[in-house]
Amino acid sequence: MPLYPVSLYDSGEGLPYAPEDWPYPGDKWSWKVGGRIAASGYFLDRYMYTPARLREGGRKTGFASKLSLEQYIRKNFPDADVNAFFASFSWKIPSKSCMKDDIELFTPPRETAEHSGSDSQFDGVCCKAGNRVCKSLSATEDSVSDVMFCDICCSEPGFCRDCCCILCCKTIKMAFGGYSYIRCEAKLDGYVCGHSAHIECALRAYMAGTVGGSIGLETEYYCRRCDSRTDLVLHVERLLQTCKSVNSRDDIEKILNVGICVLRGTEKTNGKQLLRHIEMAMEKLRNGTDLEDVWKKEDTAVTEVGLSLNGTCAFGFRNYEEPLDHKVGSPQPLSSTFDHRVESLKLEDEIDQILHALRKSQDFEYRLAEERLFAHKNYILNLYQQLDKERSDLSRHTSLKDPNTTVLDAVQSRIDQIKQEVSKLKDMEEAKKGFGRVSKYILKEHFGLEIES
C-alpha cells in the first residue's frame, strides 16, 4: 500500500498506518507519531489506539510498542491471526522532516564507553555503536539466545541494545557500576528484554520515578520496548552501596543526586526511608564531614522531618525545645543551634507533596477533557456521515422528480442537530483555560463534573 510521509507528532485514523474494519466492519484504529526519526527516515516512536467500539467506559486504549499491541490482540482475540492483523497496515511511518534543523536524527553515537583504550582485548572490533568494549562482543552463544528478538530499534544502524540508551540512542556509561542507567531484565516468553535507558532520559520522559496519569509509576522504570516495570528502590540501594566505595566527594554527590531524583515523591515506606538517608548523607557531604563518618548507621535513625525526637539531629545540630513554663503570646527566641537547612528540607517535602497532588489533579483533568472532546468530535463526524447519506437520498428523489418531504425534513433536522453539537463543542473548548475557570454548567453538562457551591 502507498505510504505518505507525515509531520512530527502527527496523528490520524485508518490505513495505511492503522487497521480498518477490524475486528468488525466500520472499526477504525487511530495512530500517532512522536518526535524521533531513524536514519532510515521512519519514526522511532509511534502509537496505536483502539477504535471506539473497543473502548471501555469511553476511554481509548493506547499502545506504545508493537509487542504490547500484539499481547492485547492475543488476549482479547485469541482466535485472530496476529500476522494477518499486522500485515493489514504498515507499522513503519515515514517522516516529512529529515533535516537536522528540524529534529535530531538517529545517528551512530559519538560517545564510546569508558576505558576504550587501544589495549582492549577487542581492539579493532566494535559493536554497532562503535564501542570496542561492549559486552555483546564477549557474549556467549547461550547468553545471546536468551535475549528477546527485536526488529524495531535494534534493526537501526548504529544502535546496540547492550550499550545504547533506548530513549536518546547515545552510549551508556559504565562508570561506578553503571549508576546512571537502568537495564530492563523483564522476561517475556522465556526471553530477557535487555534494553537499557539513562535514568535521566527516563525521568525527563516520565518513564521513571513516581508518575501519575495513565502510566501510574511508583518509584519504577517503564521500559519503552516491552512495557515492563522495574522497581527503582533496589537500583537506588545498589548505587548507595557504590557510593561507599567512592573517594571523590563530587562523584558521590552526583550519584546521590540521581537517587534523590528517582525517589522524589515516593509513597513507599522503604523509599521514603532511603530518600531521607540519602538527603542526610548529602547534607553531611556539603558540611565537610569525613567520608568514613557519612555512612555511619547511627546517623540514619531519624524521623521523616530529618530530626530525632530529642537531643541532636542527624546533622549534628541541637533540637529546639520549648520550655515547660512557656506562655501563649510570649514568643521565644530560636535556639542558637537552629539550622535553616533542616527547615528547608521540611518545607521542600511539603511543597513536593503539594505539587504531586496538583500534578495528579491536572492529569485527571487532561485525561477527562481529552476523552470527552474526542468522543464529541467523533459523534459530530458520524452526524456528518449520516447527513451525506440523507443528502444523497434527497438528491436521488429530486432527480426522479419525486419530491419527498420526509427526506427533506430529515436533512434539515440533521443540519440543525449538527449545529447544536458544534455549539456544544465550542462550549467545551473553554476547558483550555483549566477546569477552575470553566462555568459549573459546562463542567456538569459536558464533562460530568458536579461542583459544590
Side-chain angles (χ1 to χ4, degrees):
M1 63 188 76
L3 305 181
Y4 59 89
V6 303
S7 302
L8 304 179
Y9 306 105
D10 209 346
S11 60
E13 290 185 339
L15 295 174
Y17 303 127
E20 288 187 6
D21 299 322
W22 198 98
Y24 308 106
D27 286 345
K28 272 191 177 183
W29 295 61
S30 54
W31 56 268
K32 182 179 179 181
V33 295
R36 294 190 304 154
I37 307 171
S40 57
Y42 294 94
F43 281 95
L44 284 172
D45 304 320
R46 69 104 76 205
Y47 310 89
M48 187 82 78
Y49 301 95
T50 53
R53 193 194 303 267
L54 300 181
R55 295 173 187 172
E56 298 181 0
R59 297 182 59 183
K60 61 182 179 181
T61 302
F63 305 92
S65 66
K66 194 173 183 179
L67 179 62
S68 62
L69 177 58
E70 179 180 346
Q71 292 173 342
Y72 172 83
I73 298 298
R74 293 187 184 279
K75 177 181 178 181
N76 294 276
F77 304 95
D79 298 329
D81 186 341
V82 177
N83 293 328
F85 171 78
F86 282 103
S88 67
F89 65 97
S90 173
W91 182 262
K92 290 189 173 182
I93 302 179
S95 169
K96 287 182 180 179
S97 303
C98 290
M99 302 298 293
K100 292 184 179 179
D101 293 338
D102 296 332
I103 186 69
E104 181 181 355
L105 296 179
F106 180 101
T107 55
R110 296 180 181 178
E111 300 180 23
T112 55
E114 296 187 356
H115 311 302
S116 55
S118 59
D119 59 342
S120 168
Q121 59 176 320
F122 304 108
D123 196 17
V125 180
C126 302
C127 69
K128 290 172 61 178
N131 182 6
R132 289 181 295 175
V133 293
C134 176
K135 68 177 184 179
S136 64
L137 301 177
S138 59
T140 63
E141 185 175 349
D142 292 337
S143 63
V144 173
S145 63
D146 290 338
V147 178
M148 179 181 72
F149 174 73
C150 172
D151 62 349
I152 301 178
C153 55
C154 293
S155 64
E156 293 296 332
F159 181 87
C160 173
R161 170 177 14 207
D162 291 285
C163 65
C164 289
C165 171
I166 194 174
L167 298 176
C168 73
C169 305
K170 293 182 180 180
T171 309
I172 59 178
K173 295 183 178 180
M174 302 300 297
F176 305 115
Y179 76 93
S180 62
Y181 77 94
I182 183 72
R183 176 181 171 87
C184 180
E185 300 289 351
K187 287 193 174 182
L188 303 164
D189 299 327
Y191 296 93
V192 176
C193 172
H195 289 78
S196 302
H198 290 117
I199 293 292
E200 182 179 356
C201 292
L203 289 169
R204 291 181 182 274
Y206 297 103
M207 291 185 176
T210 299
V211 182
S214 57
I215 295 180
L217 300 179
E218 175 53 70
T219 325
E220 296 171 302
Y221 163 66
Y222 180 85
C223 179
R224 177 70 175 79
R225 177 60 185 89
C226 71
D227 300 315
S228 297
R229 299 164 186 254
T230 302
D231 184 7
L232 288 180
V233 174
L234 299 177
H235 179 80
V236 177
E237 288 177 347
R238 287 194 294 269
L239 68 84
L240 189 58
Q241 292 300 319
T242 299
C243 287
K244 296 179 181 180
S245 60
V246 177
N247 295 322
S248 169
R249 290 179 177 272
D250 290 339
D251 289 335
I252 293 176
E253 188 169 338
K254 188 187 304 182
I255 298 173
L256 293 182
N257 272 325
V258 173
I260 291 175
C261 292
V262 169
L263 296 173
R264 184 80 69 192
T266 181
E267 294 297 329
K268 295 181 178 178
T269 302
N270 58 345
K272 288 182 178 181
Q273 294 173 347
L274 187 58
L275 176 60
R276 181 57 55 197
H277 179 30
I278 292 177
E279 288 177 336
M280 296 302 160
M282 180 77 82
E283 189 64 26
K284 291 165 78 172
L285 275 175
R286 293 170 179 172
N287 289 339
T289 305
D290 292 338
L291 291 182
E292 58 267 21
D293 295 330
V294 170
W295 316 109
K296 282 188 176 180
K297 293 183 179 180
E298 60 267 25
D299 291 332
T300 63
V302 294
T303 64
E304 285 208 358
V305 295
L307 297 171
S308 59
L309 295 178
N310 293 291
T312 307
C313 73
F315 294 108
F317 299 106
R318 189 71 182 172
N319 218 358
Y320 171 68
E321 299 176 6
E322 291 185 339
L324 295 177
D325 58 350
H326 172 69
K327 296 181 180 180
V328 177
S330 55
Q332 297 290 326
L334 290 176
S335 168
S336 59
T337 57
F338 170 82
D339 189 81
H340 70 279
R341 288 166 292 190
V342 175
E343 298 302 318
S344 175
L345 287 176
K346 293 165 59 178
L347 293 174
E348 187 175 346
D349 285 343
E350 293 176 5
I351 292 174
D352 283 342
Q353 293 177 13
I354 295 171
L355 293 178
H356 180 64
L358 175 61
R359 183 171 61 185
K360 289 179 65 176
S361 65
Q362 290 177 335
D363 287 342
F364 168 76
E365 291 181 4
Y366 178 84
R367 293 197 308 272
L368 178 60
E370 180 185 36
E371 172 189 325
R372 295 300 175 92
L373 287 170
F374 275 106
H376 201 72
K377 179 207 74 171
N378 292 334
Y379 179 61
I380 293 176
L381 292 180
N382 288 335
L383 292 179
Y384 274 117
Q385 292 175 358
Q386 295 176 30
L387 177 60
D388 287 341
K389 182 178 181 301
E390 291 163 352
R391 278 180 170 174
S392 178
D393 293 341
L394 179 61
S395 176
R396 186 171 61 255
H397 283 285
T398 303
S399 63
L400 295 175
K401 296 182 180 181
D402 179 23
N404 190 317
T405 57
T406 303
V407 177
L408 180 60
D409 291 341
V411 170
Q412 188 58 49
S413 176
R414 189 70 64 195
I415 292 175
D416 294 338
Q417 184 182 9
I418 290 175
K419 289 181 179 179
Q420 292 177 2
E421 297 303 325
V422 171
S423 177
K424 291 180 182 179
L425 185 60
K426 291 293 183 182
D427 290 340
M428 296 174 71
E429 289 178 0
E430 292 294 310
K432 65 185 178 183
K433 302 176 182 178
F435 280 8
R437 296 186 176 182
V438 178
S439 69
K440 296 179 181 179
Y441 171 81
I442 293 177
L443 291 178
K444 180 179 179 181
E445 292 296 321
H446 304 313
F447 295 98
L449 293 177
E450 291 279 359
I451 306 298
E452 296 180 359
S453 301

